[in-house]
Amino acid sequence: MDATGGNLVDRLDAHAAVLPCTPEAAAAVVETYAAGTSVGDCAREAGIAPMTAAKLLHRCGITGLSPLAPTARDLVRDWLDGELPRSEAVELVGADEAEFALAAYVETHDADPELADAVAGVLEPESSATVAKRDALAETMSSVDDLR
């Protein structure tokens, strides 16, 4: 558990206007995601839709949440710029409606720097939870020397 403890809900409450869910649900998503849980599982634990959890994490500064490859994201941007009709963009992208909607959200909403700062103590790439998990799994992982 992060050293910031229960203060995460209070920090998120200060940014409630930009959150796609309640501060309590947001704190649950952020904490479980930081522990290595998938976006879908984080959403289920918090009692929100996976799409909402993905939007929240994106707004918190987590990258890589768009379900589309770079070329497909270009097509979404073309649709957003009015260069393609939506039906054509969806067809060319080859994604379902939910994937297309999340990609459009990611393209039209930047991470919120203040929100990212509010969760910075929890969402760190080398958090103690990440290090502990990696250390616990160290014996199960192979190295380059094992490939010879």
Side-chain angles (χ1 to χ4, degrees):
M1 189 64 138
D2 179 61
T4 56
N7 294 332
L8 181 57
V9 173
D10 293 337
R11 292 193 319 260
L12 290 171
D13 192 45
H15 304 283
V18 297
L19 293 174
C21 57
T22 66
E24 295 79 12
V29 168
V30 168
E31 289 172 344
T32 55
Y33 185 80
T37 306
S38 73
V39 174
D41 288 343
C42 291
R44 278 185 282 288
E45 274 192 48
I48 61 174
M51 176 75 77
T52 303
K55 289 177 178 181
L56 167 72
L57 292 169
H58 171 71
R59 297 287 286 169
C60 288
I62 300 296
T63 59
L65 291 169
S66 178
L68 303 181
T71 302
R73 289 193 307 265
D74 288 342
L75 291 168
V76 171
R77 284 189 288 271
D78 289 346
W79 166 66
L80 291 168
D81 291 339
E83 297 173 16
L84 280 176
R86 186 178 190 284
S87 58
E88 188 177 336
V90 170
E91 182 180 333
L92 290 171
V93 165
D96 65 29
E97 288 293 327
E99 291 169 331
F100 191 86
L102 179 56
Y105 182 88
V106 168
E107 293 300 326
T108 58
H109 293 78
D110 293 328
D112 185 292
E114 291 179 7
L115 188 56
D117 286 345
V119 300
V122 180
L123 292 176
E124 304 245 317
E126 284 296 319
S127 69
S128 58
T130 303
V131 172
K133 184 183 276 188
R134 185 177 52 232
D135 290 347
L137 295 173
E139 291 182 26
T140 66
M141 297 181 188
S142 59
S143 70
V144 176
D145 294 333
D146 295 337
L147 298 176
R148 292 183 200 180

mmCIF file of all heavy atoms in Angstrom, residues 18-49:
data_model
loop_
_atom_site.group_PDB
_atom_site.id
_atom_site.type_symbol
_atom_site.label_atom_id
_atom_site.label_comp_id
_atom_site.label_asym_id
_atom_site.label_seq_id
_atom_site.Cartn_x
_atom_site.Cartn_y
_atom_site.Cartn_z
ATOM 1 N N VAL A 18 -13.227 16.911 -12.659
ATOM 2 C CA VAL A 18 -12.629 16.316 -13.856
ATOM 3 C C VAL A 18 -12.612 14.794 -13.810
ATOM 4 O O VAL A 18 -12.177 14.152 -14.765
ATOM 5 C CB VAL A 18 -11.198 16.852 -14.115
ATOM 6 C CG1 VAL A 18 -11.217 18.338 -14.393
ATOM 7 C CG2 VAL A 18 -10.261 16.502 -12.989
ATOM 8 N N LEU A 19 -13.078 14.217 -12.720
ATOM 9 C CA LEU A 19 -13.115 12.755 -12.601
ATOM 10 C C LEU A 19 -14.341 12.195 -13.315
ATOM 11 O O LEU A 19 -15.429 12.768 -13.223
ATOM 12 C CB LEU A 19 -13.167 12.346 -11.128
ATOM 13 C CG LEU A 19 -11.948 12.629 -10.283
ATOM 14 C CD1 LEU A 19 -12.237 12.289 -8.821
ATOM 15 C CD2 LEU A 19 -10.749 11.855 -10.781
ATOM 16 N N PRO A 20 -14.203 11.058 -13.988
ATOM 17 C CA PRO A 20 -15.367 10.433 -14.627
ATOM 18 C C PRO A 20 -16.177 9.560 -13.665
ATOM 19 O O PRO A 20 -17.108 8.877 -14.075
ATOM 20 C CB PRO A 20 -14.730 9.590 -15.739
ATOM 21 C CG PRO A 20 -13.397 9.227 -15.198
ATOM 22 C CD PRO A 20 -12.953 10.408 -14.364
ATOM 23 N N CYS A 21 -15.798 9.547 -12.373
ATOM 24 C CA CYS A 21 -16.483 8.754 -11.361
ATOM 25 C C CYS A 21 -16.286 9.426 -10.007
ATOM 26 O O CYS A 21 -15.674 10.485 -9.930
ATOM 27 C CB CYS A 21 -15.933 7.322 -11.337
ATOM 28 S SG CYS A 21 -14.147 7.228 -11.037
ATOM 29 N N THR A 22 -16.766 8.802 -8.959
ATOM 30 C CA THR A 22 -16.599 9.382 -7.627
ATOM 31 C C THR A 22 -15.133 9.313 -7.196
ATOM 32 O O THR A 22 -14.385 8.447 -7.676
ATOM 33 C CB THR A 22 -17.432 8.621 -6.583
ATOM 34 O OG1 THR A 22 -16.914 7.294 -6.450
ATOM 35 C CG2 THR A 22 -18.913 8.604 -6.960
ATOM 36 N N PRO A 23 -14.710 10.184 -6.300
ATOM 37 C CA PRO A 23 -13.333 10.111 -5.796
ATOM 38 C C PRO A 23 -13.024 8.769 -5.121
ATOM 39 O O PRO A 23 -11.912 8.255 -5.241
ATOM 40 C CB PRO A 23 -13.259 11.268 -4.789
ATOM 41 C CG PRO A 23 -14.268 12.251 -5.284
ATOM 42 C CD PRO A 23 -15.392 11.405 -5.833
ATOM 43 N N GLU A 24 -14.006 8.177 -4.455
ATOM 44 C CA GLU A 24 -13.793 6.879 -3.809
ATOM 45 C C GLU A 24 -13.538 5.782 -4.837
ATOM 46 O O GLU A 24 -12.618 4.968 -4.673
ATOM 47 C CB GLU A 24 -15.008 6.512 -2.930
ATOM 48 C CG GLU A 24 -15.226 7.427 -1.756
ATOM 49 C CD GLU A 24 -15.916 8.749 -2.095
ATOM 50 O OE1 GLU A 24 -16.443 8.913 -3.218
ATOM 51 O OE2 GLU A 24 -15.907 9.642 -1.223
ATOM 52 N N ALA A 25 -14.339 5.769 -5.897
ATOM 53 C CA ALA A 25 -14.132 4.784 -6.963
ATOM 54 C C ALA A 25 -12.805 5.033 -7.670
ATOM 55 O O ALA A 25 -12.073 4.094 -7.995
ATOM 56 C CB ALA A 25 -15.286 4.827 -7.967
ATOM 57 N N ALA A 26 -12.487 6.303 -7.882
ATOM 58 C CA ALA A 26 -11.218 6.652 -8.530
ATOM 59 C C ALA A 26 -10.036 6.170 -7.695
ATOM 60 O O ALA A 26 -9.078 5.597 -8.228
ATOM 61 C CB ALA A 26 -11.131 8.164 -8.745
ATOM 62 N N ALA A 27 -10.098 6.366 -6.389
ATOM 63 C CA ALA A 27 -9.017 5.914 -5.511
ATOM 64 C C ALA A 27 -8.872 4.398 -5.571
ATOM 65 O O ALA A 27 -7.756 3.873 -5.633
ATOM 66 C CB ALA A 27 -9.269 6.377 -4.079
ATOM 67 N N ALA A 28 -9.998 3.699 -5.593
ATOM 68 C CA ALA A 28 -9.945 2.237 -5.676
ATOM 69 C C ALA A 28 -9.293 1.788 -6.984
ATOM 70 O O ALA A 28 -8.456 0.880 -6.996
ATOM 71 C CB ALA A 28 -11.354 1.652 -5.547
ATOM 72 N N VAL A 29 -9.664 2.431 -8.087
ATOM 73 C CA VAL A 29 -9.076 2.082 -9.387
ATOM 74 C C VAL A 29 -7.573 2.351 -9.387
ATOM 75 O O VAL A 29 -6.775 1.506 -9.780
ATOM 76 C CB VAL A 29 -9.767 2.850 -10.544
ATOM 77 C CG1 VAL A 29 -8.985 2.715 -11.844
ATOM 78 C CG2 VAL A 29 -11.183 2.358 -10.729
ATOM 79 N N VAL A 30 -7.183 3.529 -8.952
ATOM 80 C CA VAL A 30 -5.769 3.915 -8.970
ATOM 81 C C VAL A 30 -4.944 2.965 -8.108
ATOM 82 O O VAL A 30 -3.884 2.495 -8.524
ATOM 83 C CB VAL A 30 -5.604 5.387 -8.510
ATOM 84 C CG1 VAL A 30 -4.157 5.724 -8.245
ATOM 85 C CG2 VAL A 30 -6.189 6.323 -9.561
ATOM 86 N N GLU A 31 -5.427 2.661 -6.911
ATOM 87 C CA GLU A 31 -4.669 1.792 -6.008
ATOM 88 C C GLU A 31 -4.559 0.368 -6.539
ATOM 89 O O GLU A 31 -3.497 -0.246 -6.476
ATOM 90 C CB GLU A 31 -5.288 1.820 -4.609
ATOM 91 C CG GLU A 31 -5.044 3.145 -3.914
ATOM 92 C CD GLU A 31 -5.795 3.304 -2.607
ATOM 93 O OE1 GLU A 31 -6.758 2.538 -2.352
ATOM 94 O OE2 GLU A 31 -5.425 4.213 -1.834
ATOM 95 N N THR A 32 -5.648 -0.176 -7.090
ATOM 96 C CA THR A 32 -5.574 -1.543 -7.601
ATOM 97 C C THR A 32 -4.783 -1.608 -8.903
ATOM 98 O O THR A 32 -4.075 -2.578 -9.149
ATOM 99 C CB THR A 32 -6.978 -2.166 -7.781
ATOM 100 O OG1 THR A 32 -7.770 -1.317 -8.606
ATOM 101 C CG2 THR A 32 -7.668 -2.372 -6.451
ATOM 102 N N TYR A 33 -4.860 -0.559 -9.724
ATOM 103 C CA TYR A 33 -4.058 -0.530 -10.951
ATOM 104 C C TYR A 33 -2.570 -0.463 -10.614
ATOM 105 O O TYR A 33 -1.752 -1.147 -11.220
ATOM 106 C CB TYR A 33 -4.467 0.652 -11.834
ATOM 107 C CG TYR A 33 -3.776 0.668 -13.170
ATOM 108 C CD1 TYR A 33 -4.223 -0.158 -14.207
ATOM 109 C CD2 TYR A 33 -2.665 1.469 -13.410
ATOM 110 C CE1 TYR A 33 -3.589 -0.166 -15.437
ATOM 111 C CE2 TYR A 33 -2.021 1.464 -14.634
ATOM 112 C CZ TYR A 33 -2.494 0.643 -15.642
ATOM 113 O OH TYR A 33 -1.845 0.632 -16.868
ATOM 114 N N ALA A 34 -2.228 0.330 -9.615
ATOM 115 C CA ALA A 34 -0.827 0.459 -9.197
ATOM 116 C C ALA A 34 -0.289 -0.865 -8.667
ATOM 117 O O ALA A 34 0.914 -1.128 -8.750
ATOM 118 C CB ALA A 34 -0.691 1.553 -8.145
ATOM 119 N N ALA A 35 -1.174 -1.705 -8.161
ATOM 120 C CA ALA A 35 -0.759 -3.008 -7.644
ATOM 121 C C ALA A 35 -0.608 -4.044 -8.753
ATOM 122 O O ALA A 35 -0.259 -5.187 -8.485
ATOM 123 C CB ALA A 35 -1.760 -3.493 -6.597
ATOM 124 N N GLY A 36 -0.889 -3.639 -10.003
ATOM 125 C CA GLY A 36 -0.688 -4.549 -11.128
ATOM 126 C C GLY A 36 -1.946 -5.211 -11.644
ATOM 127 O O GLY A 36 -1.880 -6.135 -12.445
ATOM 128 N N THR A 37 -3.107 -4.749 -11.219
ATOM 129 C CA THR A 37 -4.378 -5.315 -11.642
ATOM 130 C C THR A 37 -4.778 -4.739 -12.997
ATOM 131 O O THR A 37 -4.498 -3.581 -13.284
ATOM 132 C CB THR A 37 -5.466 -4.999 -10.590
ATOM 133 O OG1 THR A 37 -4.996 -5.446 -9.311
ATOM 134 C CG2 THR A 37 -6.766 -5.682 -10.900
ATOM 135 N N SER A 38 -5.440 -5.542 -13.814
ATOM 136 C CA SER A 38 -5.882 -5.070 -15.131
ATOM 137 C C SER A 38 -6.939 -3.987 -14.978
ATOM 138 O O SER A 38 -7.599 -3.869 -13.937
ATOM 139 C CB SER A 38 -6.461 -6.234 -15.942
ATOM 140 O OG SER A 38 -7.728 -6.613 -15.422
ATOM 141 N N VAL A 39 -7.123 -3.210 -16.030
ATOM 142 C CA VAL A 39 -8.113 -2.133 -16.011
ATOM 143 C C VAL A 39 -9.509 -2.694 -15.748
ATOM 144 O O VAL A 39 -10.262 -2.161 -14.940
ATOM 145 C CB VAL A 39 -8.082 -1.318 -17.322
ATOM 146 C CG1 VAL A 39 -9.205 -0.298 -17.361
ATOM 147 C CG2 VAL A 39 -6.738 -0.640 -17.500
ATOM 148 N N GLY A 40 -9.856 -3.794 -16.394
ATOM 149 C CA GLY A 40 -11.170 -4.399 -16.192
ATOM 150 C C GLY A 40 -11.386 -4.861 -14.763
ATOM 151 O O GLY A 40 -12.458 -4.638 -14.181
ATOM 152 N N ASP A 41 -10.384 -5.502 -14.181
ATOM 153 C CA ASP A 41 -10.500 -5.961 -12.799
ATOM 154 C C ASP A 41 -10.556 -4.783 -11.829
ATOM 155 O O ASP A 41 -11.276 -4.818 -10.832
ATOM 156 C CB ASP A 41 -9.351 -6.906 -12.436
ATOM 157 C CG ASP A 41 -9.482 -8.262 -13.116
ATOM 158 O OD1 ASP A 41 -10.591 -8.605 -13.592
ATOM 159 O OD2 ASP A 41 -8.466 -8.982 -13.170
ATOM 160 N N CYS A 42 -9.780 -3.727 -12.113
ATOM 161 C CA CYS A 42 -9.843 -2.514 -11.280
ATOM 162 C C CYS A 42 -11.250 -1.941 -11.292
ATOM 163 O O CYS A 42 -11.777 -1.539 -10.247
ATOM 164 C CB CYS A 42 -8.885 -1.448 -11.817
ATOM 165 S SG CYS A 42 -7.149 -1.810 -11.623
ATOM 166 N N ALA A 43 -11.848 -1.893 -12.468
ATOM 167 C CA ALA A 43 -13.195 -1.350 -12.606
ATOM 168 C C ALA A 43 -14.199 -2.183 -11.813
ATOM 169 O O ALA A 43 -15.038 -1.625 -11.099
ATOM 170 C CB ALA A 43 -13.590 -1.297 -14.079
ATOM 171 N N ARG A 44 -14.105 -3.498 -11.922
ATOM 172 C CA ARG A 44 -15.026 -4.362 -11.193
ATOM 173 C C ARG A 44 -14.891 -4.157 -9.687
ATOM 174 O O ARG A 44 -15.880 -4.075 -8.966
ATOM 175 C CB ARG A 44 -14.799 -5.824 -11.560
ATOM 176 C CG ARG A 44 -15.503 -6.221 -12.851
ATOM 177 C CD ARG A 44 -15.380 -7.698 -13.140
ATOM 178 N NE ARG A 44 -14.076 -8.058 -13.678
ATOM 179 C CZ ARG A 44 -13.652 -7.773 -14.902
ATOM 180 N NH1 ARG A 44 -14.442 -7.108 -15.711
ATOM 181 N NH2 ARG A 44 -12.467 -8.149 -15.320
ATOM 182 N N GLU A 45 -13.655 -4.066 -9.206
ATOM 183 C CA GLU A 45 -13.439 -3.839 -7.770
ATOM 184 C C GLU A 45 -14.016 -2.510 -7.313
ATOM 185 O O GLU A 45 -14.488 -2.390 -6.182
ATOM 186 C CB GLU A 45 -11.946 -3.895 -7.437
ATOM 187 C CG GLU A 45 -11.448 -5.294 -7.181
ATOM 188 C CD GLU A 45 -10.059 -5.310 -6.578
ATOM 189 O OE1 GLU A 45 -9.808 -4.565 -5.609
ATOM 190 O OE2 GLU A 45 -9.242 -6.081 -7.078
ATOM 191 N N ALA A 46 -13.950 -1.499 -8.162
ATOM 192 C CA ALA A 46 -14.444 -0.164 -7.806
ATOM 193 C C ALA A 46 -15.938 -0.004 -8.069
ATOM 194 O O ALA A 46 -16.529 1.006 -7.682
ATOM 195 C CB ALA A 46 -13.659 0.897 -8.569
ATOM 196 N N GLY A 47 -16.537 -0.977 -8.761
ATOM 197 C CA GLY A 47 -17.962 -0.901 -9.060
ATOM 198 C C GLY A 47 -18.306 0.071 -10.171
ATOM 199 O O GLY A 47 -19.388 0.669 -10.172
ATOM 200 N N ILE A 48 -17.378 0.237 -11.127
ATOM 201 C CA ILE A 48 -17.622 1.123 -12.272
ATOM 202 C C ILE A 48 -17.365 0.354 -13.566
ATOM 203 O O ILE A 48 -16.804 -0.736 -13.551
ATOM 204 C CB ILE A 48 -16.742 2.396 -12.211
ATOM 205 C CG1 ILE A 48 -15.246 2.035 -12.243
ATOM 206 C CG2 ILE A 48 -17.087 3.231 -10.977
ATOM 207 C CD1 ILE A 48 -14.311 3.231 -12.322
ATOM 208 N N ALA A 49 -17.737 0.946 -14.661
ATOM 209 C CA ALA A 49 -17.527 0.325 -15.976
ATOM 210 C C ALA A 49 -16.045 0.375 -16.353
ATOM 211 O O ALA A 49 -15.347 1.342 -16.018
ATOM 212 C CB ALA A 49 -18.346 1.063 -17.030
#
